[in-house]
Amino acid sequence: MLRIDRYIMTQFVIGIIPALLLLLALFSFMTLAEELEDVGKGSFTLPDALMVVILTSPKRIVELLPVTTLLGGLLGLGAMANHRELIAIRTVGISKQRIGQTVAVLAMFLCVFITALQFFVVPEFEHQAATLRAQASENVDLSTGTSKAIWTRNDQHFIRIKKLKSERTLADVEIYTTDEKGRLTQLIQASSALYVEQENWLLIDVLESRFEGGQVIETTRESMPWSALLSAEQADALILPLEALAPNDLLKTISNLRQNQLDTHRYEIVLWQQVSLLPSLLAMALMSLPLLLGSVRTVSASQRALTGGLIGIGFYLLQQLSGHLAGILGMDPSLLILTPPFVLLIIAIAAIRHQKL
């Protein structure tokens, strides 16, 4: 029995690989076309553009894997169906439910693979890609000293950042404010600075020192809003895109924002979109079975691939729409975003039980 399970999984994976490579190449080419528009700006070169495409590939793999799982199942298991192998498996007493369980186990392994990419690969690669993209902007002014701290200037504010954290947070921030004559008038020291949105920041554990009339007036605060800590170009060079954050970093950011009574809706939408990839992948894997069950002699592989492509694209658009609706309507993102994959999962399970092979 284990040999048959391994064979089914192998054929499924054999179908997934070409579908994933094809879609990955297509979307990578579209990304390259966008990056080529910035070649020649600043110090951004063609090799940099190619490297950006490579570095952003893991994120595309995560997003494409649910759809390619459906296509892979139709291609891999479809070949088995065309060669009557599925019928032979059924004749030895293996039920449709057992085949579905085998496919579900494979889907769980793919879920682990997606999760590993989300936690350990995508954030690091996306940060490197953002750094390369920043070379296309001539407005990014970030310098490092021997201590590797980051120095920058914004109007009359000289900013020193000791460390960059992955969860959109800067550690050990110092802001030196001078007057028109270059004299120091204010020093703000914060243990961390949380990137909220656009150019808005939240300083945490703040010590504010004002220099007035030869005296130093110190004030401590738990938090303090600050705008334009970094410019938009500088933030793009240092801060990960929201969609590229690991789930645990998103949770930390949401917790920090809630503690300071700030809006977390946008962050929650991205978090639940990442979570929804797991049930979506399982639903897509199982959905390939009812499309194969029944008569396979009158349905070609190209027809199955087209059907699967339409279902996959439609489901992807529905997922994106649910995320936008959650943001526009201010509704619970978990309910709107998780409903489509679980509905599809229920439909796939019901279809497997009622279809005939």
Side-chain angles (χ1 to χ4, degrees):
M1 193 70 70
L2 291 177
R3 180 175 297 178
I4 294 178
D5 292 334
R6 288 196 299 269
Y7 182 73
I8 293 174
M9 291 183 182
T10 300
Q11 294 302 310
F12 206 109
V13 172
I14 290 175
I16 289 176
I17 292 175
L20 178 59
L21 291 177
L22 178 61
L23 290 178
L24 183 62
L26 175 62
F27 282 87
S28 295
F29 180 79
M30 295 169 60
T31 302
L32 178 60
E34 295 176 0
E35 299 299 331
L36 288 177
E37 296 179 0
D38 293 330
V39 171
K41 298 179 181 178
S43 59
F44 194 69
T45 62
L46 178 59
D48 293 329
L50 294 174
M51 183 57 67
V52 168
V53 174
I54 294 173
L55 291 172
T56 54
S57 294
K59 184 172 180 292
R60 281 192 292 277
I61 291 174
V62 170
E63 295 173 344
L64 292 173
L65 199 52
V67 176
T68 54
T69 299
L70 173 58
L71 294 176
L74 293 176
L75 294 176
L77 299 186
M80 293 179 60
N82 289 335
H83 292 92
R84 309 296 185 267
E85 291 176 325
L86 287 181
I87 296 177
I89 290 174
R90 289 296 310 280
T91 58
V92 298
I94 298 179
S95 65
K96 297 175 295 183
Q97 288 76 14
R98 176 55 191 273
I99 298 175
Q101 290 175 6
T102 302
V103 172
V105 170
L106 175 61
M108 295 306 296
F109 282 113
L110 294 176
C111 288
V112 173
F113 175 68
I114 278 185
T115 304
L117 289 179
Q118 287 178 326
F119 275 88
F120 305 110
V121 179
V122 172
E124 179 62 27
F125 279 38
E126 287 290 326
H127 186 270
Q128 295 181 29
T131 303
L132 286 175
R133 286 194 187 101
Q135 297 179 13
S137 175
E138 299 177 353
N139 299 320
V140 178
D141 178 21
L142 295 173
S143 59
T144 59
T146 56
S147 63
K148 296 185 179 180
I150 298 171
W151 284 90
T152 185
R153 179 178 179 179
N154 231 326
D155 295 328
Q156 300 299 317
H157 304 297
F158 294 85
I159 302 164
R160 178 183 182 273
I161 302 167
K162 184 177 180 181
K163 184 181 179 181
L164 171 67
K165 295 184 179 179
S166 60
E167 60 268 18
R168 299 164 73 88
T169 304
L170 309 176
D172 295 334
V173 177
E174 297 176 354
I175 305 173
Y176 300 86
T177 305
T178 61
D179 58 16
E180 296 178 354
K181 296 182 179 181
R183 294 175 298 191
L184 184 64
T185 60
Q186 182 187 44
L187 170 61
I188 294 178
Q189 298 169 292
S191 62
S192 60
L194 176 64
Y195 184 65
V196 180
E197 59 181 353
Q198 296 179 346
E199 296 186 10
N200 297 320
W201 297 77
L202 183 68
L203 305 179
I204 309 295
D205 295 333
V206 180
L207 173 60
E208 180 184 8
S209 302
R210 291 184 174 274
F211 304 94
E212 299 177 355
Q215 295 181 341
V216 180
I217 303 174
E218 294 187 344
T219 305
T220 58
R221 303 177 184 177
E222 291 185 1
S223 61
M224 177 181 179
W226 193 272
S227 61
L229 181 65
L230 297 176
S231 66
E233 293 86 357
Q234 293 169 340
D236 289 340
L238 290 176
I239 303 300
L240 279 177
L242 186 59
E243 294 76 11
L245 288 178
N248 60 320
D249 291 335
L250 279 170
L251 287 172
K252 291 178 183 178
T253 304
I254 291 172
S255 176
N256 288 333
L257 291 174
R258 284 178 176 172
Q259 288 177 2
N260 293 277
Q261 299 179 346
L262 295 174
D263 182 41
T264 63
H265 203 69
R266 182 163 165 258
Y267 291 81
E268 292 178 14
I269 290 174
V270 176
L271 175 63
W272 286 111
Q273 284 178 331
Q274 292 185 356
V275 173
S276 69
L277 288 174
L278 305 182
S280 297
L281 192 149
L282 178 60
M284 287 292 190
L286 293 178
M287 181 56 69
S288 63
L289 289 178
L291 295 176
L292 293 171
L293 298 177
S295 177
V296 298
R297 285 173 290 184
T298 58
V299 181
S300 65
S302 59
Q303 289 177 310
R304 287 195 294 267
L306 177 61
T307 302
L310 293 175
I311 294 175
I313 292 173
F315 181 77
Y316 176 81
L317 294 176
L318 179 60
Q319 281 290 82
Q320 297 299 312
L321 178 62
S322 62
H324 289 302
L325 286 177
I328 295 173
L329 302 178
M331 299 178 63
D332 183 5
S334 62
L335 179 62
L336 278 178
I337 295 174
L338 291 180
T339 297
F342 279 106
V343 169
L344 184 65
L345 181 60
I346 293 173
I347 293 175
I349 294 174
I352 291 173
R353 296 184 61 181
H354 291 87
Q355 283 282 356
K356 294 182 179 181
L357 184 64

